[in-house]
Protein backbone atom coordinates (compact mmCIF):
# COMPACT_ATOMS: atom_id res chain seq x y z
CA UNK A 1 0.00 0.00 0.00
CA UNK A 2 1.01 3.59 -0.61
CA UNK A 3 0.90 4.35 3.08
CA UNK A 4 3.31 1.56 3.91
CA UNK A 5 5.75 3.02 1.37
CA UNK A 6 5.35 6.39 3.01
CA UNK A 7 6.08 5.00 6.46
CA UNK A 8 9.13 3.14 5.19
CA UNK A 9 10.38 6.31 3.48
CA UNK A 10 9.69 8.53 6.49
CA UNK A 11 11.42 6.04 8.78
CA UNK A 12 14.43 5.76 6.50
CA UNK A 13 14.77 9.55 6.13
CA UNK A 14 14.59 9.99 9.88
CA UNK A 15 17.17 7.30 10.58
CA UNK A 16 19.50 8.66 7.84
CA UNK A 17 19.26 12.16 9.28
CA UNK A 18 20.20 10.78 12.70
CA UNK A 19 23.31 8.87 11.62
CA UNK A 20 25.64 11.72 12.61
CA UNK A 21 24.25 12.02 16.11
CA UNK A 22 24.03 8.29 16.74
CA UNK A 23 27.02 8.40 19.10
CA UNK A 24 25.47 10.84 21.56
CA UNK A 25 22.98 9.70 24.20
CA UNK A 26 20.22 11.86 22.79
CA UNK A 27 20.99 10.56 19.34
CA UNK A 28 20.67 6.91 20.22
CA UNK A 29 17.52 7.58 22.21
CA UNK A 30 16.05 9.30 19.16
CA UNK A 31 17.06 6.43 16.94
CA UNK A 32 15.52 3.96 19.35
CA UNK A 33 12.29 5.92 19.41
CA UNK A 34 12.21 6.12 15.62
CA UNK A 35 12.69 2.39 15.30
CA UNK A 36 10.01 1.73 17.87
CA UNK A 37 7.59 4.06 16.12
CA UNK A 38 8.32 2.37 12.81
CA UNK A 39 7.66 -1.09 14.26
CA UNK A 40 4.44 -0.03 15.96
CA UNK A 41 3.11 1.69 12.84
CA UNK A 42 3.91 -1.39 10.82
CA UNK A 43 2.26 -3.74 13.30
CA UNK A 44 -0.85 -1.55 13.33
CA UNK A 45 -1.11 -1.68 9.55
CA UNK A 46 -0.65 -5.43 9.28
CA UNK A 47 -3.32 -5.92 11.96
CA UNK A 48 -5.73 -3.71 10.07
CA UNK A 49 -5.03 -5.60 6.87
CA UNK A 50 -5.59 -9.08 8.30
CA UNK A 51 -8.60 -10.99 6.98
CA UNK A 52 -11.77 -11.48 9.01
CA UNK A 53 -12.50 -15.18 9.62
CA UNK A 54 -14.36 -16.93 6.79
CA UNK A 55 -16.63 -19.91 7.39
CA UNK A 56 -17.77 -22.97 5.43
CA UNK A 57 -21.16 -22.71 3.72
CA UNK A 58 -22.49 -25.20 6.27
CA UNK A 59 -22.14 -22.48 8.94
CA UNK A 60 -24.54 -20.07 7.17
CA UNK A 61 -27.39 -18.94 9.44
CA UNK A 62 -30.80 -20.22 8.29
CA UNK A 63 -32.20 -16.69 8.58
CA UNK A 64 -30.23 -13.45 8.32
CA UNK A 65 -32.35 -11.00 10.23
CA UNK A 66 -32.78 -7.39 9.19
CA UNK A 67 -31.94 -4.51 11.52
CA UNK A 68 -32.54 -0.74 11.46
CA UNK A 69 -34.23 0.09 8.16
CA UNK A 70 -35.72 -3.07 6.69
CA UNK A 71 -38.12 -1.63 4.07
CA UNK A 72 -37.45 2.06 3.27
CA UNK A 73 -40.62 4.07 2.58
CA UNK A 74 -38.98 7.39 1.68
CA UNK A 75 -37.97 8.76 -1.73
CA UNK A 76 -38.51 6.53 -4.74
CA UNK A 77 -37.25 3.35 -3.06
CA UNK A 78 -40.59 1.51 -3.27
CA UNK A 79 -40.89 2.45 -6.94
CA UNK A 80 -37.34 1.18 -7.63
CA UNK A 81 -38.13 -2.04 -5.78
CA UNK A 82 -41.28 -2.49 -7.91
CA UNK A 83 -39.05 -2.17 -11.01
CA UNK A 84 -36.79 -4.85 -9.55
CA UNK A 85 -34.10 -2.15 -9.23
CA UNK A 86 -33.60 -2.08 -13.03
CA UNK A 87 -33.02 1.69 -12.84
CA UNK A 88 -30.85 1.72 -9.70
CA UNK A 89 -27.60 3.64 -10.16
CA UNK A 90 -24.53 3.66 -7.96
CA UNK A 91 -22.62 6.95 -8.17
CA UNK A 92 -18.87 6.96 -7.62
CA UNK A 93 -17.98 10.59 -7.08
CA UNK A 94 -16.16 13.20 -5.01
CA UNK A 95 -12.36 13.32 -5.14
CA UNK A 96 -11.98 10.99 -8.13
CA UNK A 97 -10.56 11.55 -11.62
CA UNK A 98 -13.44 9.78 -13.41
CA UNK A 99 -16.83 9.94 -11.68
CA UNK A 100 -18.94 6.91 -12.65
CA UNK A 101 -22.58 5.87 -12.60
CA UNK A 102 -22.97 2.11 -12.46
CA UNK A 103 -26.04 -0.02 -13.08
CA UNK A 104 -26.53 -3.37 -11.33
CA UNK A 105 -25.67 -4.98 -14.64
CA UNK A 106 -22.30 -3.15 -14.62
CA UNK A 107 -21.67 -4.32 -11.08
CA UNK A 108 -22.55 -7.95 -11.77
CA UNK A 109 -20.14 -8.04 -14.74
CA UNK A 110 -17.09 -7.05 -12.67
CA UNK A 111 -14.85 -9.71 -11.10
CA UNK A 112 -16.62 -10.95 -7.97
CA UNK A 113 -15.58 -11.99 -4.48
CA UNK A 114 -17.68 -14.39 -2.41
CA UNK A 115 -17.13 -14.66 1.35
CA UNK A 116 -18.92 -16.35 4.22
CA UNK A 117 -18.50 -14.10 7.25
CA UNK A 118 -20.06 -13.36 10.61
CA UNK A 119 -21.92 -10.10 11.09
CA UNK A 120 -21.82 -8.71 14.64
CA UNK A 121 -24.32 -6.08 15.71
CA UNK A 122 -23.68 -3.96 18.81
CA UNK A 123 -27.20 -4.78 19.90
CA UNK A 124 -25.95 -8.27 20.76
CA UNK A 125 -26.76 -10.58 17.87
CA UNK A 126 -24.69 -12.18 15.12
CA UNK A 127 -25.45 -13.97 11.87
CA UNK A 128 -23.32 -15.79 9.30
CA UNK A 129 -23.98 -15.14 5.63
CA UNK A 130 -22.40 -15.57 2.23
CA UNK A 131 -21.90 -12.26 0.42
CA UNK A 132 -20.96 -11.69 -3.22
CA UNK A 133 -19.86 -8.58 -5.08
CA UNK A 134 -16.90 -6.70 -6.53
CA UNK A 135 -14.20 -5.43 -4.21
CA UNK A 136 -14.54 -1.73 -3.45
CA UNK A 137 -10.86 -1.29 -4.43
CA UNK A 138 -11.80 -2.18 -8.00
CA UNK A 139 -14.32 0.66 -8.21
CA UNK A 140 -11.97 3.13 -6.55
CA UNK A 141 -9.12 2.24 -8.89
CA UNK A 142 -11.42 2.53 -11.91
CA UNK A 143 -12.58 5.96 -10.74
CA UNK A 144 -9.01 7.00 -9.82
CA UNK A 145 -8.75 8.46 -6.30
CA UNK A 146 -7.23 11.91 -6.17
CA UNK A 147 -4.29 12.26 -3.74
CA UNK A 148 -6.38 14.46 -1.39
CA UNK A 149 -8.91 11.65 -0.81
CA UNK A 150 -8.65 10.32 2.75
CA UNK A 151 -12.07 8.78 3.45
CA UNK A 152 -14.81 6.99 1.55
CA UNK A 153 -18.38 8.01 2.39
CA UNK A 154 -21.30 5.71 1.62
CA UNK A 155 -24.71 7.28 0.90
CA UNK A 156 -27.88 5.27 1.42
CA UNK A 157 -31.44 5.53 0.13
CA UNK A 158 -33.14 5.16 3.52
CA UNK A 159 -34.15 7.89 5.91
CA UNK A 160 -34.28 6.56 9.45
CA UNK A 161 -35.92 8.70 12.16
CA UNK A 162 -35.57 11.82 10.00
CA UNK A 163 -31.93 11.36 9.01
CA UNK A 164 -30.36 9.83 5.92
CA UNK A 165 -28.28 6.79 6.82
CA UNK A 166 -24.64 7.14 5.79
CA UNK A 167 -21.30 5.74 6.82
CA UNK A 168 -17.59 6.26 6.14
CA UNK A 169 -14.30 4.38 6.34
CA UNK A 170 -10.62 5.18 5.82
CA UNK A 171 -8.53 3.98 2.89
CA UNK A 172 -7.10 0.99 4.78
CA UNK A 173 -10.59 -0.50 5.10
CA UNK A 174 -11.60 0.77 1.66
CA UNK A 175 -8.75 -1.24 0.10
CA UNK A 176 -9.17 -4.27 2.39
CA UNK A 177 -9.76 -7.34 0.19
CA UNK A 178 -12.98 -8.28 2.05
CA UNK A 179 -14.54 -4.83 1.62
CA UNK A 180 -17.05 -5.52 -1.15
CA UNK A 181 -20.12 -3.96 -2.72
CA UNK A 182 -22.47 -6.89 -2.16
CA UNK A 183 -25.46 -7.58 -4.41
CA UNK A 184 -26.05 -11.16 -3.31
CA UNK A 185 -26.68 -12.91 0.00
CA UNK A 186 -26.43 -16.70 0.10
CA UNK A 187 -26.40 -16.88 -3.70
CA UNK A 188 -29.59 -14.84 -4.22
CA UNK A 189 -30.11 -11.14 -4.95
CA UNK A 190 -30.11 -9.24 -1.64
CA UNK A 191 -33.47 -9.31 0.14
CA UNK A 192 -34.91 -5.86 0.82
CA UNK A 193 -34.46 -6.30 4.57
CA UNK A 194 -30.71 -6.84 4.08
CA UNK A 195 -30.17 -3.80 1.84
CA UNK A 196 -31.33 -4.50 -1.73
CA UNK A 197 -30.04 -3.92 -4.27
CA UNK A 198 -26.55 -3.05 -2.92
CA UNK A 199 -24.93 -2.94 0.49
CA UNK A 200 -21.39 -2.63 1.73
CA UNK A 201 -19.56 -5.37 3.58
CA UNK A 202 -16.73 -3.99 5.70
CA UNK A 203 -15.84 -7.24 7.42
CA UNK A 204 -13.31 -5.91 9.94
CA UNK A 205 -15.92 -3.67 11.57
CA UNK A 206 -19.20 -3.95 13.49
CA UNK A 207 -22.62 -4.14 11.85
CA UNK A 208 -23.48 -0.45 11.71
CA UNK A 209 -20.43 0.13 9.46
CA UNK A 210 -22.06 -1.98 6.68
CA UNK A 211 -24.43 0.48 4.95
CA UNK A 212 -27.44 -0.93 3.09
CA UNK A 213 -29.47 0.56 0.15
CA UNK A 214 -26.23 2.01 -1.26
CA UNK A 215 -26.68 4.89 -3.72
CA UNK A 216 -23.27 6.57 -3.77
CA UNK A 217 -19.63 6.11 -2.91
CA UNK A 218 -17.95 9.45 -2.32
CA UNK A 219 -14.23 10.12 -1.85
CA UNK A 220 -13.59 13.04 0.52
CA UNK A 221 -10.67 14.73 2.28
CA UNK A 222 -12.53 15.28 5.56
CA UNK A 223 -15.70 14.10 7.28
CA UNK A 224 -16.40 17.45 8.96
CA UNK A 225 -18.99 18.63 6.44
CA UNK A 226 -20.73 15.28 5.94
CA UNK A 227 -23.97 14.71 7.90
CA UNK A 228 -23.39 15.71 11.53
CA UNK A 229 -19.61 15.53 11.04
CA UNK A 230 -18.89 12.35 13.01
CA UNK A 231 -18.67 10.04 10.00
CA UNK A 232 -21.89 8.07 10.23
CA UNK A 233 -25.55 7.90 11.17
CA UNK A 234 -25.01 6.22 14.54
CA UNK A 235 -21.83 8.18 15.23
CA UNK A 236 -23.79 11.44 14.81
CA UNK A 237 -26.90 10.26 16.57
CA UNK A 238 -25.72 8.18 19.51
CA UNK A 239 -21.98 8.72 19.80
CA UNK A 240 -21.02 5.29 18.46
CA UNK A 241 -17.31 4.95 17.71
CA UNK A 242 -16.35 5.90 14.15
CA UNK A 243 -13.78 3.13 14.12
CA UNK A 244 -15.58 -0.06 15.17
CA UNK A 245 -12.87 -2.63 14.42
CA UNK A 246 -13.35 -6.29 15.29
N1 LIG B 1 -28.83 2.05 5.17
C1 LIG B 1 -28.76 1.40 6.34
N2 LIG B 1 -27.68 0.62 6.58
C2 LIG B 1 -27.59 -0.05 7.75
C3 LIG B 1 -28.56 0.08 8.77
C4 LIG B 1 -29.69 0.92 8.49
O1 LIG B 1 -30.60 1.08 9.30
N3 LIG B 1 -29.74 1.56 7.27
N4 LIG B 1 -28.41 -0.59 9.98
C5 LIG B 1 -27.05 -1.03 10.31
C6 LIG B 1 -26.97 -1.97 11.43
S1 LIG B 1 -27.02 -1.36 13.00
C7 LIG B 1 -26.74 -3.29 11.23
S2 LIG B 1 -26.50 -4.38 12.51
C8 LIG B 1 -26.77 -3.86 9.86
C9 LIG B 1 -27.87 -4.85 9.77
O2 LIG B 1 -27.80 -5.52 8.54
P1 LIG B 1 -29.00 -6.49 8.20
O3 LIG B 1 -30.26 -5.68 8.16
O4 LIG B 1 -28.64 -7.10 6.88
O5 LIG B 1 -29.05 -7.52 9.32
O6 LIG B 1 -26.94 -2.90 8.86
C10 LIG B 1 -26.36 -1.65 9.10
N5 LIG B 1 -26.51 -0.84 7.93
MO1 LIG C 1 -26.28 -3.06 14.34
Amino acid sequence: MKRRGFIAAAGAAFVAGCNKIADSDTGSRLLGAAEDWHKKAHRLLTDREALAPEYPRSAISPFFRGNGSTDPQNGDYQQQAAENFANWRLDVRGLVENPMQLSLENIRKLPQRTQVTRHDCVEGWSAIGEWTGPQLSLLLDAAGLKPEAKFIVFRCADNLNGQDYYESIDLIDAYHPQTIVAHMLNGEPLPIRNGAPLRMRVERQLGYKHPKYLTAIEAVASLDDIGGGKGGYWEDRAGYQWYAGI
Side-chain angles (χ1 to χ4, degrees):
M1 279 186 75
K2 273 190 206 136
R3 194 169 304 218
R4 188 174 276 170
F6 163 75
I7 283 177
F14 186 63
V15 170
C18 288
N19 268 345
K20 282 187 191 123
I21 52 169
D23 291 341
S24 72
D25 269 4
T26 318
S28 54
R29 259 202 306 278
L30 273 174
L31 281 179
E35 201 182 292
D36 215 39
W37 171 78
H38 188 274
K39 263 193 226 143
K40 274 187 193 146
H42 190 75
R43 191 179 316 130
L44 189 70
L45 287 189
T46 43
D47 282 359
R48 292 280 317 274
E49 286 164 5
L51 295 183
E54 293 190 17
Y55 299 81
R57 299 204 74 221
S58 59
I60 291 173
S61 307
F63 179 74
F64 203 111
R65 61 172 278 186
N67 201 36
S69 297
T70 52
D71 191 11
Q73 298 298 318
N74 59 287
D76 64 354
Y77 185 84
Q78 291 295 327
Q79 163 94 33
Q80 299 245 29
E83 298 162 357
N84 209 11
F85 303 107
N87 296 305
W88 194 269
R89 293 292 177 274
L90 176 66
D91 271 356
V92 183
R93 63 187 189 214
L95 297 171
V96 296
E97 304 292 349
N98 320 296
M100 308 186 294
Q101 271 215 328
L102 304 173
S103 66
L104 295 184
E105 180 74 357
N106 295 151
I107 286 176
R108 287 189 207 107
K109 282 193 172 147
L110 292 169
Q112 307 284 305
R113 190 179 203 282
T114 290
Q115 57 203 30
V116 179
T117 53
R118 197 184 71 194
H119 178 101
D120 294 303
C121 172
V122 282
E123 289 166 32
W125 58 273
S126 309
I128 292 179
E130 181 195 66
W131 305 96
T132 301
Q135 291 173 317
L136 176 61
S137 61
L138 212 76
L139 302 191
L140 297 181
D141 284 346
L145 279 190
K146 293 188 178 175
E148 313 90 86
K150 295 281 179 291
F151 303 98
I152 304 299
V153 174
F154 303 109
R155 304 288 190 175
C156 303
D158 59 316
N159 186 281
L160 186 57
N161 303 309
Q163 273 160 321
D164 293 338
Y165 202 95
Y166 79 100
E167 258 304 338
S168 63
I169 57 177
D170 66 13
L171 296 187
I172 297 179
D173 267 327
Y175 277 90
H176 189 283
Q178 289 168 319
T179 298
I180 66 173
V181 181
H183 57 88
M184 292 211 283
L185 171 60
N186 301 335
E188 302 284 338
L190 286 187
I192 285 181
R193 70 169 181 279
N194 302 113
L198 297 174
R199 71 102 47 88
M200 289 306 303
R201 295 300 305 168
V202 181
E203 303 292 357
R204 294 295 312 279
Q205 296 209 45
L206 288 170
Y208 62 91
K209 300 294 292 190
H210 303 232
K212 307 192 282 186
Y213 317 112
L214 188 67
T215 57
I217 291 171
E218 210 172 301
V220 300
S222 155
L223 299 172
D224 293 350
D225 298 328
I226 313 285
K230 300 229 163 58
Y233 175 91
W234 285 111
E235 291 88 327
D236 287 342
R237 198 177 174 86
Y240 283 23
Q241 294 292 313
W242 175 74
Y243 182 68
I246 48 176

